[in-house]
Amino acid sequence: MSFFDILHLALRNLRQAKLRAILTTMGVIVGVAVIVTMVSFGLGLQSNMLERFKALDLFNEIQVFGQGLSSLAGMERPGARDEGERRLRSRRATRILDDAGVKEIAAVPGVAYVEPSVNFPAYVRSNGKLLTQYVGGANIPNAATRFQHFAAGRMISAPTADEAVVSERFIRDFGYEKPADAIGKTLELLAPPGEKDDAEEEEETPNFFGIPLDDPGFDELSAVETRTFRIVGVLGTIKEGAGQGGLRGLMPSAGIYVPLAMAHSWTTQHRGPLGQVALALARQGGNLGAGQTEGYEVAVVRVADPAQLTEVRAKITELGFGSFSIVDEIDQIRTVFLIIDSVLGLLGGISLLVASFGIANTMIMSILERTREIGIMKAIGAEDREIKLIFFVEAAVIGVVGGVVGVLVAWGIDGLANRLAYRFILKPQGASFIDFFDLPPYLWLGAIVFALMVSILAALYPASRAARIDPVRALRHD
Amino acid sequence: MPALLAAQEVSKIYQMGSNSVTALDNVSLEIGEGEFVAIQGTSGSGKSTLLNMLGGLDHPTKGEVYFASRPLGPFTKKEMARYRRFSVGMIFQNFNLIPTMTARENVSLALAFGGLRGQQRRARSRELLARVGLGDRLEHKPSELSGGEQQRVAIARALANNPKVLLADEPTGNLDSIRAHELLALLREMVNQDSLTILMVTHDHELANSFADRIVFMKDGRVV
């Protein structure tokens, strides 16, 4: 008897008890739909989250620390804070992160770029208003994602240009109508007169592309020193999805960005009292030479390929810098998701288990009804194997049909849930469509194969029982 | 000439709790090729049990059944199925057709077990049903056929894979005397023309007498 004949017989048997076959298949459909919907939700959660992390540049950035001024001054950090910091900044820095260090890091294979982070608060005057703002230094040119999207204008043109880009928030705070209005306007950073340290100036001048000492905004005589920048660009705020609110990567965000060199010289010239004490102690203790400055506190290293991150990080440690990367945390997140997906899959698995009892029950009922027929088939020469196969194929048909329909149902539920979530939750909030589910081929194919396997397992006992039927007794059966 | 089908000192004892019931007691029987043998006896005489034994549906407790001088005892389950498929055909008092299948489908099922495919199967089932006089009843279900017609479908099915022997268990039990005569005339014709060997169980002495070559009497599990 060919497989086609067996399939034909199996289908005929199912057709004969149509309602029962449909109800049994429904059990499988529900089981598969639950598994697929749940696991696809778990996978969707995971991929959305990792996607967001990726969009935030968290996978390809490393924060690098040099020896800070406070540790150079010989200060101990308070214990409680140390605990957390030691875990994050796993390796302690042993050298100062200065321009030479930045160059060395930039030379490490796999590093796309290094951007020292300078970020300080300052009084800022623009459009007739005076407010405190965080000012950040930006490498020019700059490939970071946070400088890719402009609401108006462009990026700062040169490392020495007296130009600034500002955030959209800045525009609102300083009372500009719209981003384009601010382009071409000026902003002034205000500070007390800078400390005149000739040695420091001499050291720094060549390093910082020669900031002119007779800068127009640099007035030694006045009580307040100002530095004027022309606003050339307004950064666009990403309103939705990944990178919401403009926070991206490990670089702290600021309201105003000026060329890095200018920002750095500003911080060394306008140190607060704490910084002045620390510098003096560091010099006194001999940790910082007379001509040396304290360098950058933090730099953000971007790797070209996230896969190289660990390798690059190890090299940076060899160079004597401390580092931090979010990837350490990601592995833990993955483990958590694996557990979540397993639990979701297990819940679905239980419903498929229940369905398998339904299949076994249907098969046994069917055998009771068809005892005589099985006896007849045996009397005319059916082998046990062929009888068994008929039942296995019947179960397999239920499993595959249930699996395929179940996957389609799950797919429909996914689509419907996405649309409902968009219609009633996301859209009212002004957010764009998000696919909450992830239905990769391995999931739906796996679910169908799983349904098939469960069905065949459920038919194991009924099929062998059918094959064992005694034809003499079966033929007497009515 | 050696017998085509033989039972040698066959006993069948059923265990019913602590009691044992002897259905067959040391029965020996030989049927030659092309013979039409009738077994006659009252109900409970063990004639159906003997037929099932010879048809490979049941195993003797003691003794041996031989087909073409080969003992069936050592046959595996699979070999036994093949024996039922190709060597013997069986028909029953209650026809045992599959009620949801048409006449042709019932015959085709046996042909399918015999390994015949598509077009061949169609041709052969038509030929078999024509042979038993049902060439115009191919697509009728058993419920749409008379008792005599149903038994003819059963004969066509039994002969599907060209067996040498037809084992008939009370084939006329559910037929009126006219249909019974017609059916046995058909079987007699098959023995005469196609040199089929038939072993028929019946309790109708008149029918056995007029169509069979030989009558074997059984009583209480023994040949008398």
Side-chain angles (χ1 to χ4, degrees):
Chain A
M1 190 166 235
S2 70
F3 180 76
F4 184 78
D5 289 327
I6 288 184
L7 182 65
H8 184 79
L9 277 175
L11 289 177
R12 180 189 149 270
N13 289 341
L14 289 174
R15 266 202 306 277
Q16 226 120 72
K18 229 176 259 157
L19 182 63
R20 192 169 57 196
I22 288 170
L23 291 174
T24 310
T25 312
M26 290 281 268
V28 180
I29 291 171
V30 170
V32 170
V34 170
I35 289 186
V36 174
T37 308
M38 286 201 156
V39 176
S40 71
F41 180 67
L43 291 175
L45 217 59
Q46 180 175 2
S47 67
N48 279 328
M49 187 163 169
L50 295 183
E51 203 55 48
R52 185 164 288 210
F53 275 31
K54 209 177 274 173
L56 290 172
D57 280 341
L58 292 177
F59 284 148
N60 48 10
E61 290 193 352
I62 306 169
Q63 238 177 354
V64 179
F65 310 95
Q67 234 178 333
L69 201 51
S70 49
S71 74
L72 288 169
M75 193 176 82
E76 296 290 334
R77 296 205 171 224
R81 189 148 175 236
D82 228 11
E83 191 59 36
E85 295 235 326
R86 195 170 289 144
R87 194 170 68 84
L88 292 176
R89 309 181 180 196
S90 52
R91 299 129 189 171
R92 285 255 159 210
T94 56
R95 57 180 283 195
I96 298 166
L97 180 59
D98 51 11
D99 281 298
V102 169
K103 276 200 188 104
E104 279 181 56
I105 293 169
V108 170
V111 171
Y113 63 80
V114 189
E115 192 176 18
S117 163
V118 178
N119 199 295
F120 58 90
Y123 278 105
V124 176
R125 188 157 56 202
S126 183
N127 202 24
K129 292 193 176 188
L130 184 65
L131 293 165
T132 50
Q133 287 281 307
Y134 271 88
V135 181
N139 257 347
I140 307 296
N142 196 305
T145 38
R146 75 200 133 101
F147 293 125
Q148 299 310 312
H149 182 57
F150 281 89
R154 54 168 172 81
M155 189 58 187
I156 300 160
S157 60
T160 53
D162 288 325
E163 294 176 345
V165 292
V166 297
S167 67
E168 267 192 323
R169 172 99 200 231
F170 174 95
I171 296 301
R172 284 198 300 278
D173 290 351
F174 283 87
Y176 290 102
E177 286 256 317
K178 54 184 193 297
D181 291 349
I183 305 296
K185 301 288 194 313
T186 57
L187 64 83
E188 288 170 312
L189 303 190
L190 306 157
E195 42 177 308
K196 297 306 290 175
D197 188 336
D198 288 340
E200 193 177 276
E201 281 308 317
E202 264 174 32
E203 264 303 302
E204 286 194 3
T205 308
N207 275 346
F208 293 109
F209 310 100
I211 302 162
L213 286 171
D214 54 347
D215 187 272
F218 203 91
D219 189 358
E220 282 178 65
L221 297 173
S222 85
V224 175
E225 191 185 310
T226 64
R227 183 103 162 73
T228 307
F229 294 89
R230 199 160 58 85
I231 300 169
V232 295
V234 179
L235 293 170
T237 311
I238 300 159
K239 286 205 182 64
E240 62 203 31
Q244 204 160 1
L247 182 71
R248 287 195 146 197
L250 297 169
M251 187 65 91
S253 65
I256 301 164
Y257 293 94
V258 298
L260 178 69
M262 295 184 188
H264 192 232
S265 69
W266 181 278
T267 55
T268 52
Q269 281 160 23
H270 306 290
R271 251 185 218 103
L274 282 174
Q276 284 174 15
V277 172
L279 182 68
L281 284 173
R283 291 235 157 102
Q284 210 173 41
N287 287 330
L288 200 63
Q292 266 186 307
T293 50
E294 70 270 29
Y296 304 102
E297 232 180 280
V298 175
V300 173
V301 172
R302 192 176 169 100
V303 293
D305 178 3
Q308 289 176 296
L309 191 130
T310 316
E311 211 178 306
V312 169
R313 201 174 164 199
K315 287 268 168 51
I316 288 169
T317 309
E318 271 175 44
L319 291 174
F321 299 110
S323 58
F324 163 73
S325 146
I326 201 91
V327 172
D328 300 351
E329 318 297 309
I330 294 296
D331 283 339
Q332 289 179 22
I333 292 173
R334 277 188 213 280
T335 313
V336 169
F337 270 111
L338 188 68
I339 294 166
I340 291 174
D341 290 346
S342 305
V343 169
L344 291 176
L346 198 70
L347 285 174
I350 289 168
S351 48
L352 199 56
L353 182 75
V354 173
S356 79
F357 293 132
I359 293 173
N361 185 36
T362 296
M363 293 284 144
I364 290 168
M365 288 296 292
S366 158
I367 288 165
L368 291 178
E369 275 173 21
R370 274 149 53 194
T371 300
R372 174 106 167 266
E373 190 177 310
I374 293 162
I376 294 169
M377 290 209 240
K378 286 194 142 187
I380 62 173
E383 289 173 26
D384 289 2
R385 189 183 61 93
E386 289 165 326
I387 303 281
K388 255 189 218 173
L389 260 178
I390 292 169
F391 282 90
F392 277 133
V393 171
E394 262 179 66
V397 168
I398 289 175
V400 169
V401 170
V404 170
V405 177
V407 165
L408 289 176
V409 168
W411 181 68
I413 290 173
D414 287 3
L416 192 69
N418 273 335
R419 259 161 208 90
L420 288 178
Y422 174 62
R423 175 75 185 74
F424 293 107
I425 299 165
L426 297 175
K427 206 176 166 194
Q429 291 180 358
S432 65
F433 185 83
I434 298 173
D435 189 353
F436 289 101
F437 300 89
D438 191 4
L439 192 56
Y442 74 81
L443 176 59
W444 61 263
L445 278 176
I448 293 170
V449 170
F450 188 53
L452 174 65
M453 277 171 19
V454 166
S455 306
I456 288 177
L457 276 177
L460 214 55
Y461 168 71
S464 73
R465 185 167 147 175
R468 278 202 315 266
I469 282 178
D470 172 15
V472 176
R473 239 182 265 181
L475 289 174
R476 247 186 270 136
H477 193 278
D478 284 306
Chain B
M1 194 180 95
L4 180 62
L5 193 58
Q8 202 175 64
E9 292 166 11
V10 166
S11 296
K12 182 73 182 179
I13 299 155
Y14 291 106
Q15 208 66 42
M16 302 255 184
S18 55
N19 298 355
S20 56
V21 177
T22 305
L24 286 178
D25 188 7
N26 247 353
V27 172
S28 291
L29 182 71
E30 289 198 348
I31 299 140
E33 197 165 351
E35 239 188 326
F36 188 157
V37 179
I39 300 177
Q40 209 192 320
T42 55
S43 66
S45 60
K47 50 194 197 312
S48 287
T49 306
L50 178 62
L51 204 72
N52 286 338
M53 225 69 80
L54 294 170
L57 288 176
D58 209 349
H59 296 279
T61 312
K62 243 171 39 197
E64 186 62 283
V65 174
Y66 295 85
F67 178 79
S69 306
R70 281 181 67 197
L72 302 192
F75 276 20
T76 62
K77 282 186 135 186
K78 187 175 172 172
E79 285 169 326
M80 212 58 161
R82 296 195 166 248
Y83 169 72
R84 292 197 294 266
R85 186 182 295 178
F86 295 113
S87 304
V88 295
M90 287 188 88
I91 58 175
F92 307 88
Q93 177 173 358
N94 55 2
F95 322 126
N96 276 332
L97 296 172
I98 293 178
T100 53
M101 289 182 172
T102 65
R104 188 210 281 276
E105 283 170 342
N106 267 287
V107 176
S108 286
L109 183 63
L111 292 170
F113 284 121
L116 237 59
R117 297 281 173 92
Q119 202 50 49
Q120 276 177 301
R121 204 191 289 172
R122 290 184 72 81
R124 175 87 176 128
S125 59
R126 178 189 295 274
E127 177 194 319
L128 283 161
L129 285 164
R131 177 75 188 84
V132 296
L134 292 174
D136 56 345
R137 300 294 234 210
L138 299 180
E139 307 307 334
H140 286 66
K141 292 205 168 150
S143 57
E144 298 158 358
L145 297 170
S146 72
E149 286 170 328
Q150 287 186 54
Q151 196 59 290
R152 283 159 193 264
V153 175
I155 292 170
R157 183 182 65 186
L159 300 179
N161 295 310
N162 289 314
K164 285 223 152 106
V165 184
L166 179 70
L167 302 173
D169 191 355
E170 301 270 17
T172 59
N174 282 349
L175 305 181
D176 60 46
S177 62
I178 299 168
R179 305 279 170 247
H181 264 88
E182 281 173 8
L183 194 86
L184 284 195
L186 175 68
L187 292 181
R188 182 71 241 178
E189 189 189 311
M190 286 174 160
V191 172
N192 294 347
Q193 289 182 5
D194 312 332
S195 61
L196 188 69
T197 304
I198 295 180
L199 180 63
M200 176 178 76
V201 165
T202 184
H203 58 259
D204 190 326
H205 183 68
E206 189 262 316
L207 278 176
N209 224 1
S210 37
F211 290 100
D213 299 323
R214 177 156 69 96
I215 302 178
V216 175
F217 291 94
M218 281 187 75
K219 199 187 174 199
D220 299 332
R222 292 166 185 270
V223 175
V224 290

